[in-house]
Amino acid sequence: MDSQSCVKITNEWDIVAARQLGRNVAKELGFGTVDQARITTAISELARNIYLYAGYGQICIEKLFDGGKKGVRIIALDEGPGISDIRKVMEDGYSTSGGLGAGLPGVKRLMDEFNVESVPGEGTDIRATKWLR
């Protein structure tokens, strides 16, 4: 890990700030516009989930350097109600908010690596990584 920057998520403007941070970091690392859009879309979804379901949390953007590879990791952390059935929320079309249900499966498709850890009543830790090609 070279550096990490975080945005606290407490309102809709924080989602915009997290997106902008992610876009800036992706651009700085050399990601093209298509991957920048993928990264910011993933950040939007993760930040919106924090805002809607946990009420408070943070999005951290981490620059990754692994040998000759560069990448960006999005870390979404909250101490909300947690996810009781991770398998269910990873199904396409599943939504508890009446949305399209692209949610977490969409984030997983946009990124190269994806991991969810959640404890009901304690919170959720989601990590998604995109590597520069």
Side-chain angles (χ1 to χ4, degrees):
M1 172 178 83
D2 179 347
S3 64
Q4 183 183 68
S5 301
C6 299
V7 175
K8 288 184 171 134
I9 306 297
T10 59
N11 62 55
E12 291 182 347
W13 290 108
D14 297 334
I15 298 168
V16 176
R19 280 177 56 93
Q20 192 60 50
L21 173 65
R23 184 179 300 280
N24 290 344
V25 169
K27 191 173 187 177
E28 181 183 318
L29 288 171
F31 283 94
T33 55
V34 172
D35 277 339
Q36 288 176 38
R38 288 182 177 121
I39 291 163
T40 57
T41 300
I43 291 168
S44 284
E45 185 61 39
L46 294 171
R48 191 170 319 294
N49 283 354
I50 290 170
Y51 174 68
L52 288 175
Y53 301 114
Y56 173 82
Q58 65 180 355
I59 295 285
C60 296
I61 310 296
E62 188 174 271
K63 295 178 191 175
L64 301 174
F65 300 94
D66 183 12
K69 288 176 25 177
K70 290 193 281 188
V72 62
R73 178 178 294 136
I74 305 162
I75 304 166
L77 298 169
D78 70 64
E79 294 177 6
I83 302 168
S84 58
D85 189 346
I86 292 173
R87 217 169 338 153
K88 185 86 171 156
V89 300
M90 291 307 297
E91 291 176 9
D92 279 318
Y94 177 78
S95 174
T96 57
S97 66
L100 296 175
L104 295 181
V107 172
K108 184 176 181 179
R109 281 191 295 274
L110 290 168
M111 304 298 281
D112 297 322
E113 298 170 14
F114 181 84
N115 185 61
V116 181
E117 292 180 16
S118 190
V119 177
E122 292 183 24
T124 302
D125 178 336
I126 299 175
R127 293 167 189 255
T129 302
K130 189 75 168 166
W131 293 103
L132 185 62
R133 301 204 191 304

